[in-house]
């Protein structure tokens, strides 16, 4: 007889192909059960690996459907109306007809310009300083560089006197004339950008032509002198001069260097003249006010508005007794 097979097996024994069973009962031993367990476990692993591929396929299908909807919607939208044949040829070059084409940018710029034009230039306290001075002087000769909506009130305050505005912006001139037809407004041109302020200040200090001599203003060779103003500006003895123009809001924009210099010159042609400069928080307005109107003549200030009182004709060869600004 063959030897009897033992009824126990170590779990640590490696799984090997068992020898043919010696008895029917041995077919139900542990090794057979472990074999089926491992087979089921190995079949579950490929299914989990397929999940990312399934998700990718579904996402791709969704994206393709979305693109199809977008393309279909775009192609079904009605086309923009074409320009008439005459305008199609005309718009190859700038023309008024092409300018009538709707433009969101132009509309927004127009709105911004309108809001800017209606915004007050002076604060309440600044305008009170100016208007109170004009009330005390009225009727007087009032000259204003710049046109702002607030300044139109000065004409009525100075009833019986002479009020002249000098402005370079056509839009501001049109808006002002719509509100007051009787206001005297002259269109002038400024040729010097704000970025040349430093060199002009050096020129004024070195050139004898820039010395205070109001009688030679129209024929002056000083680069700061404004010689293209209306003849009334040179002939009238002004009591109050306001400098709030040109804009000077950027290096390329016209600066107020010439306006401040010319205001100081015509102020010295009279007896005593009050000169007010706005936006003195900016470098150009501050430098040129100190240089040609002088800190010693400053009598009042509110916010960004300085008020100088310039004495009449003098034999002095300089603008100020003590120079405040120095160029390094």
């Amino acid at each position: 007889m063959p030897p009897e097979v033992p009824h126990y097996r170590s779990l640590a024994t490696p799984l090997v192909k068992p020898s043919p069973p010696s008895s029917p009962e041995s077919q139900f031993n542990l090794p057979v059960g472990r074999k089926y367990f491992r087979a089921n476990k190995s079949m579950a692993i490929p299914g989990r690996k397929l999940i990312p591929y399934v998700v990718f396929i579904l996402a791709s299908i969704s994206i393709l459907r979305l693109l199809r909807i977008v393309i279909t919607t775009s192609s079904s939208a009605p086309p923009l109306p074409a320009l008439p044949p005459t305008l199609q040829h005309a718009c190859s070059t700038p023309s008024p007809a092409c300018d009538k084409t709707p433009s969101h940018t132009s509309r927004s710029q127009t709105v911004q310009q309108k809001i800017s034009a209606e915004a007050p230039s002076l604060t309440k306290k600044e305008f009170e300083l100016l208007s109170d001075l004009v009330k005390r002087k009225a009727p007087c000769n009032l000259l204003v560089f710049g046109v702002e909506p607030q300044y139109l009130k000065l004409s009525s305050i100075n009833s019986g006197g002479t009020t002249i505005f000098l402005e370079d912006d056509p839009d501001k001139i049109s808006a002002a004339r719509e509100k007051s037809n009787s206001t005297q407004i002259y269109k002038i041109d400024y040729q010097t950008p704000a970025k040349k302020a430093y060199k002009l200040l050096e020129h004024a200090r070195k050139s004898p032509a820039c010395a205070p001599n109001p009688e030679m203003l129209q024929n002056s060779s000083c680069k700061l002198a404004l010689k293209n103003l209306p003849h009334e500006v040179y002939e009238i003895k002004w009591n109050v001069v306001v400098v709030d123009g040109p804009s000077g809001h950027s290096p390329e924009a016209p600066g107020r260097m010439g306006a401040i210099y010319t205001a100081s010159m015509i102020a010295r042609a009279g007896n005593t003249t009050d000169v007010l400069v706005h936006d003195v928080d900016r470098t150009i307005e501050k430098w040129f006010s100190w240089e040609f109107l002088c800190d010693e003549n400053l009598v009042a200030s509110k916010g960004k508005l300085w008020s100088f009182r310039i004495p009449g004709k003098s034999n002095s060869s300089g603008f100020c007794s003590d120079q405040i600004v120095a160029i390094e």
Side-chain angles (χ1 to χ4, degrees):
M1 289 182 64
E4 185 178 357
V5 179
H7 294 283
Y8 64 90
R9 187 183 297 271
S10 174
L11 296 177
T13 304
L15 184 63
V16 294
K17 185 175 180 180
S19 58
S22 58
S23 64
E25 292 82 4
S26 62
Q27 298 178 7
F28 302 98
N29 285 342
L30 179 63
V32 176
R34 291 180 56 158
K35 180 178 179 181
Y36 282 105
F37 172 77
R38 293 196 178 198
N40 293 337
K41 185 176 180 181
S42 62
M43 290 178 63
I45 294 176
R48 295 183 181 178
K49 292 182 178 180
L50 289 175
I51 292 177
Y53 297 99
V54 173
V55 173
F56 175 78
I57 294 172
L58 293 176
S60 300
I61 294 173
S62 300
I63 293 174
L64 291 174
R65 292 184 63 186
L66 180 61
L67 291 175
R68 181 181 178 183
I69 294 172
V70 172
I71 294 172
T72 304
T73 305
S74 301
S75 61
S76 61
L80 294 175
L83 291 173
T86 55
L87 289 184
Q88 289 180 359
H89 297 289
C91 284
S92 61
T93 57
S95 67
C98 295
D99 294 338
K100 294 180 181 179
T101 304
S103 172
H104 173 73
T105 303
S106 61
R107 286 197 299 268
S108 61
Q109 289 178 350
T110 303
V111 172
Q112 291 177 357
Q113 291 174 356
K114 184 176 181 181
I115 294 174
S116 175
E118 294 177 353
S121 175
L122 275 65
T123 64
K124 182 179 179 180
K125 291 184 178 181
E126 291 171 349
F127 186 74
E128 285 179 355
L129 173 62
L130 174 58
S131 58
D132 289 345
L133 175 62
V134 176
K135 288 177 183 177
R136 293 196 303 267
K137 298 274 188 175
C140 66
N141 296 325
L142 171 62
L143 177 65
V144 183
F145 288 84
V147 173
E148 300 294 340
Q150 293 169 296
Y151 293 154
L152 299 179
K153 301 177 183 178
L154 299 177
S155 297
S156 57
I157 294 175
N158 191 33
S159 179
T162 300
T163 304
I164 293 180
F165 295 93
L166 306 176
E167 177 59 54
D168 65 324
D169 189 341
D171 294 333
K172 288 186 176 182
I173 294 176
S174 300
R177 285 177 175 166
E178 288 179 0
K179 295 182 179 180
S180 178
N181 292 329
S182 60
T183 303
Q184 296 187 64
I185 306 175
Y186 291 94
K187 171 71 169 64
I188 62 173
D189 295 319
Y190 297 97
Q191 305 296 330
T192 309
K195 64 182 180 181
K196 294 187 178 181
Y198 185 85
K199 292 183 178 180
L200 287 174
L201 191 56
E202 283 187 318
H203 162 75
R205 288 184 172 181
K206 298 177 180 178
S207 175
C210 296
N213 188 358
E215 297 177 357
M216 299 296 295
L217 182 59
Q218 286 183 277
N219 301 317
S220 175
S221 60
C222 179
K223 295 180 181 179
L224 284 169
L226 298 180
K227 298 177 285 186
N228 59 342
L229 303 179
H231 64 88
E232 294 94 335
V233 175
Y234 307 105
E235 295 173 357
I236 297 176
K237 305 300 181 183
W238 299 100
N239 304 109
V240 180
V241 180
V242 181
V243 179
D244 198 8
S247 64
H249 57 75
S250 69
E252 300 297 332
R256 298 181 185 174
M257 303 82 67
I260 295 176
Y261 171 83
T262 302
S264 71
M265 293 289 279
I266 61 179
R268 287 172 168 80
N271 294 323
T272 300
T273 305
D274 290 278
V275 180
L276 297 92
V277 180
H278 193 226
D279 294 321
V280 292
D281 58 319
R282 304 192 303 198
T283 302
I284 291 176
E285 284 75 0
K286 185 180 297 182
W287 275 12
F288 281 76
S289 294
W290 280 342
E291 184 76 18
F292 302 112
L293 300 174
C294 311
D295 182 66
E296 64 202 49
N297 297 324
L298 183 65
V299 294
S301 66
K302 284 291 183 182
K304 298 183 291 184
L305 183 67
W306 281 355
S307 178
F308 298 87
R309 184 155 297 158
I310 309 301
K313 296 180 179 180
S314 172
N315 296 327
S316 174
S317 59
F319 290 91
C320 310
S321 60
D322 184 17
Q323 198 66 39
I324 302 298
V325 178
I327 300 178
E328 297 179 359

